[in-house]
Amino acid sequence: MSNKPEQTVSVIEKTSGSADLYNHFENEKEEICGLIERLVEIESPTGDVKASSLIADLIEKELSVLGNCRIERIAAEGYGEHLIARLKEDAKRQILLIGHSDTVHPIGTKAKNPTRKENGKFYGCGIFDMKANIGMLIAALKHIYQNETADAPGVMLYLSCDEEAGSPTGRDIVERLAAEAKICLVFEPSLNGRAKTERKGTSFYTVRAEGLAAHAGLEPERGANALAELAMQVEKIHSLASVEKGTTVNVCTFKSGTAANVIPDRAELTVDVRFTQMAEARRIDEEIRKLMPSNTKITLRIEGGINRPPLERTASENLYQKAKALASELGFELEEARVGGASDGNFAAAVGAQVLDGLGIHGDGAHTLEEYIFIDDIPKRAALTAGLILQC
């Protein structure tokens, strides 16, 4: 985990309306922490169908106190259950709130990173990415819709069960809901407390080589070395990157071989591509699919393709300015960041929705055994979330 600075103390005074919101969530902080702990304690790694259902059960139970809330649970084969909660469905204004209930840690990991509070930090597996933000969202929705705020918009809360796997079954849902709502707030973790106004798009590929096995000592000439072939392809693949255009291309895994004295007849590598422009995504896609083996006895097979389009700042600008002004009223500065990682917000932007990402609670250590959030940031982010929902 990187050594990043602790939260800074703001010197901006809260305005009266925002102070009311902040004070409400400050008073509710321990209750919100209790809900966050229950969410974190249900370990829900991507692909664990039983765990996904358990976390959906808890979320549905918490939201069921809102009489105007309709819950839809969508089975995703091999992953679990997506959850959609709809509030004020008859409202003309509709906002899409996006998050995910899956984490990257396998069942049992909480023994290595137990859920606990230490020195103003709240630790736990998946707490930063992004169980704490689900708890915070539920608290914000309860405050708005239990009080039946007259000018509150309709809300669609979508929690995916396969986001960490690239949303193979959730993408269509995101695109459908985003096209309906036109405004989308994404509660992925913040980056050093900053909102994410730009995200790179992603592509993933698997390149497989099929050659011929042979005894490495007796007759290696009869073989066709799949490992050696892919090793030569690595340099070609890496050369496709463009520093000037912000395009990165990296071979990330390499598998081959059965024994130390056998010419390998099978090999595969994976490629991670990040880009800021769809034109770059298409260029890389075309070039990777044109890869040809140097050995005519070997066949190359290309799998994968473009996964998420980029989230460009033009899709985030208006919402960011609203959030920045609200944060100022709440007594803190909300900065912005461009990041290489993608989220379901990329899909929402691609269908024309306004999108603001990275609205989660300040913390650090995503996907590590030292994952945490700052406890004192909970009421600020909950107040910002409630204020944004009411203003959008």
Side-chain angles (χ1 to χ4, degrees):
M1 183 182 67
S2 60
N3 256 329
K4 295 177 181 172
E6 303 292 299
Q7 289 179 289
T8 57
V9 178
S10 173
V11 296
I12 306 172
E13 292 187 3
K14 303 177 184 68
T15 63
S16 58
S18 296
D20 289 342
L21 271 179
Y22 176 84
N23 290 336
H24 168 79
F25 292 112
E26 177 65 27
N27 292 333
E28 295 286 320
K29 186 165 65 178
E30 286 307 310
E31 184 175 339
I32 298 170
C33 283
L35 174 56
I36 290 171
E37 182 171 1
R38 295 197 300 276
L39 289 162
V40 173
E41 281 294 292
I42 300 175
E43 296 177 285
S44 53
T46 311
D48 191 313
V49 175
K50 181 179 179 181
S52 177
S53 293
L54 288 174
I55 200 77
D57 287 343
L58 175 55
I59 295 166
E60 181 172 9
K61 180 181 178 182
E62 288 293 323
L63 290 173
S64 65
V65 301
L66 300 173
N68 56 353
C69 181
R70 180 170 67 88
I71 303 289
E72 180 183 3
R73 290 166 66 163
I74 303 171
E77 186 176 356
Y79 292 99
E81 292 185 73
H82 304 298
L83 185 146
I84 302 173
R86 297 177 183 268
L87 292 146
K88 290 190 68 172
E89 292 185 74
D90 59 346
K92 291 183 178 180
R93 290 185 298 141
Q94 292 289 329
I95 299 172
L96 176 60
L97 313 178
I98 290 182
H100 62 88
S101 60
D102 60 327
T103 66
V104 301
H105 307 287
I107 296 290
T109 307
K110 65 182 179 182
K112 300 176 182 177
N113 182 24
T115 310
R116 67 199 187 277
K117 297 175 184 175
E118 293 177 358
N119 301 319
K121 298 175 182 177
F122 199 168
Y123 289 84
C125 293
I127 194 168
F128 179 50
D129 187 14
M130 52 159 283
K131 293 286 184 68
N133 303 332
I134 296 175
M136 181 266 290
L137 267 172
I138 290 172
L141 293 176
K142 283 181 177 179
H143 179 63
I144 295 171
Y145 294 98
Q146 278 180 330
N147 295 329
E148 291 291 342
T149 307
D151 59 348
V155 158
M156 297 178 288
L157 169 63
Y158 171 64
L159 298 175
S160 165
C161 67
D162 65 358
E163 194 275 344
E164 294 290 6
S167 302
T169 69
R171 176 175 182 168
D172 290 346
I173 301 172
V174 173
E175 292 175 339
R176 171 169 54 84
L177 296 177
E180 181 181 343
K182 301 297 185 185
I183 293 177
C184 178
L185 305 178
V186 185
F187 290 86
E188 287 285 340
S190 62
L191 179 66
N192 294 338
R194 293 177 286 174
K196 298 170 182 176
T197 53
E198 292 182 80
R199 279 185 179 273
K200 287 187 177 182
T202 57
S203 298
F204 303 108
Y205 299 91
T206 299
V207 182
R208 291 189 169 90
E210 298 177 3
L212 297 171
H215 193 292
L218 296 179
E219 45 188 7
E221 68 282 356
R222 293 187 59 181
N225 196 317
L227 185 157
E229 177 62 47
L230 283 195
M232 287 188 286
Q233 298 291 341
V234 170
E235 186 175 354
K236 295 179 187 177
I237 293 168
H238 281 172
S239 71
L240 300 176
S242 171
V243 175
E244 296 80 10
K245 295 182 179 179
T247 304
T248 61
V249 183
N250 289 291
V251 172
C252 293
T253 66
F254 200 121
K255 301 176 183 177
S256 184
T258 57
N261 61 350
V262 178
I263 299 296
D265 64 342
R266 293 286 189 276
E268 70 175 58
L269 58 79
T270 58
V271 185
D272 179 293
V273 182
R274 310 283 167 141
F275 48 87
T276 60
Q277 305 165 26
M278 280 302 297
E280 278 292 278
R282 289 188 284 268
R283 176 183 71 83
I284 299 295
D285 188 75
E286 181 179 347
E287 292 298 322
I288 286 182
R289 296 189 190 284
K290 288 195 308 188
L291 291 174
M292 297 294 292
S294 58
N295 185 336
T296 57
K297 294 181 180 180
I298 292 176
T299 300
L300 292 184
R301 302 189 187 281
I302 314 295
E303 298 176 4
I306 299 169
N307 174 252
R308 286 186 172 101
L311 167 61
E312 298 183 27
R313 194 177 188 281
T314 52
S316 303
E317 172 67 19
N318 290 340
L319 290 176
Y320 171 65
Q321 293 303 330
K322 283 186 179 182
K324 185 177 181 181
L326 270 170
S328 180
E329 292 176 9
L330 286 163
F332 70 100
E333 183 179 2
L334 182 67
E335 297 180 340
E336 62 179 309
R338 170 193 287 182
V339 297
S343 80
D344 283 345
N346 294 54
F347 296 138
V351 298
Q354 294 184 56
V355 178
L356 184 59
D357 204 336
L359 290 169
I361 300 165
H362 189 186
D364 199 5
H367 297 191
T368 76
L369 295 179
E370 289 294 326
E371 192 169 352
Y372 67 85
I373 60 166
F374 289 105
I375 296 170
D376 284 346
D377 202 48
I378 294 172
K380 289 193 296 186
R381 299 289 165 164
L384 177 63
T385 297
L388 266 178
I389 290 171
L390 291 170
Q391 283 196 16
C392 284

